[in-house]
Amino acid sequence: MTVAVILFIVCILASSIGAVVGAGGGVIIKPVLDMIGILPVSTVSFCSGCTVLGMSVCSLIRNRNDGVKLRLKTSTALAIGAVLGGLVGKWLFEIVRNGFGNERVLGAIQAICLTIITIGVFVYVCNKDKLPSKNVKNFGVAVVIGVFLGIISSFLGIGGGTSNVAVLFFFFSMEAKEAAKNSIYIIIFSQISSIISAFATASVPDFEWLHLLFMVIGGIGGALIGAAVSKRIDNKGVEKILRILLLVIIAIDFYNVLKYTIL
């Protein structure tokens, strides 16, 4: 029960922040639980994905009438790509897991990749107002971009995360709150495909249902809290929270790299 309570606390806090910035929560849940080390790496990836799905569905329903635009055509194209990419990412995850047969190696690879990506996103977010952005309207191009997002999301077990938001900033010129909402929409589809793929290929790792239940409840609770917070801040506030979040994630990821490779 103690483990379940810890999982609930991590998930409700992570999902509260994730709902505000559009990161989904997995980008926080995954590295934090890897750092704590209370569950195997592969179990964390799967349960984190389920939690993010629950959080994302709840968040989108809760914010359906908040006045923030959901670009259905663009985000649906990205979601289609994310589904395809999610299948590829899941395939790559299983190759790495089975190839090395070692949870520490798997954790190290995920931590290194996540650290590099998060640093890149942080640098971009801090300088995005000085850089030109695009406004991609081609459906096919959006699908291709979504494929890469899906691969990252599924392989790292983060459910989309801050990379979604950065892509929506740069390629589609979205404001922070609009990017957050559209990112969560994309996350729903990528996570559904990843979870279905895990069951279809009989690659679901061992986990305890009580742990998963507490995580999902935490994710849904976080979505409700995040929706309430989002209504009280503007785009600049969302960006400020995103920058702080990225710094925290980078620090945790860096520790995890050391943990799996040196410590």
Side-chain angles (χ1 to χ4, degrees):
M1 181 61 74
T2 301
V3 172
V5 172
I6 293 173
L7 294 173
F8 171 80
I9 293 172
V10 170
C11 289
I12 194 169
L13 293 175
S15 297
S16 298
I17 301 171
V20 173
V21 303
V27 73
I28 310 169
I29 296 170
K30 179 70 170 66
V32 168
L33 293 184
D34 282 347
M35 180 179 67
I36 298 173
I38 57 177
L39 295 175
V41 173
S42 54
T43 300
V44 170
S45 293
F46 176 77
C47 292
S48 173
C50 294
T51 303
V52 169
L53 176 60
M55 169 263 156
S56 299
V57 171
C58 180
S59 180
L60 201 61
I61 293 174
R62 183 68 179 80
N63 291 324
R64 65 189 182 280
N65 296 319
D66 63 356
V68 179
K69 184 179 180 181
L70 183 62
R71 297 192 200 176
L72 276 176
K73 181 180 178 181
T74 296
S75 291
T76 299
L78 288 166
I80 291 171
V83 168
L84 299 174
L87 297 175
V88 176
K90 180 64 178 174
W91 173 68
L92 291 173
F93 177 85
E94 291 303 322
I95 287 178
V96 173
R97 183 171 74 164
N98 296 328
F100 289 99
N102 187 314
E103 290 282 314
R104 286 185 64 86
V105 175
L106 177 61
I109 293 173
Q110 287 183 316
I112 291 169
C113 291
L114 192 52
T115 302
I116 293 171
I117 291 170
T118 307
I119 290 174
V121 171
F122 177 73
V123 171
Y124 170 72
V125 170
C126 288
N127 295 279
K128 77 179 187 67
D129 292 336
K130 304 173 187 176
L131 301 171
S133 61
K134 310 294 181 182
N135 193 6
V136 175
K137 296 186 180 297
N138 185 283
F139 191 89
V141 173
V143 170
V144 172
I145 294 171
V147 168
F148 286 100
L149 289 176
I151 292 173
I152 293 170
S153 167
S154 183
F155 179 73
L156 298 180
I158 58 174
T162 51
S163 54
N164 278 13
V165 178
V167 163
L168 293 171
F169 282 161
F170 179 73
F171 287 104
F172 303 96
S173 298
M174 292 189 186
E175 293 291 340
K177 297 184 81 168
E178 185 182 11
K181 188 169 188 175
N182 283 270
S183 172
I184 287 172
Y185 176 82
I186 297 165
I187 287 170
I188 291 174
F189 290 89
S190 65
Q191 286 309 297
I192 288 175
S193 70
S194 179
I195 292 169
I196 290 175
S197 174
F199 279 102
T201 58
S203 58
V204 176
D206 292 332
F207 68 92
E208 292 189 23
W209 283 102
L210 180 65
H211 293 168
L212 179 59
L213 177 63
F214 270 64
M215 290 179 71
V216 173
I217 292 174
I220 293 173
L224 297 175
I225 295 171
V229 172
S230 183
K231 289 180 179 180
R232 290 168 171 77
I233 59 177
D234 58 12
N235 284 307
K236 290 297 182 183
V238 173
E239 287 188 24
K240 184 176 181 179
I241 293 173
L242 178 60
R243 291 191 189 101
I244 295 171
L245 171 63
L246 288 167
L247 284 174
V248 172
I249 294 172
I250 289 170
I252 296 172
D253 288 338
F254 185 70
Y255 171 81
N256 285 336
V257 171
L258 295 178
K259 172 186 174 182
Y260 288 119
T261 58
I262 299 174
L263 301 181

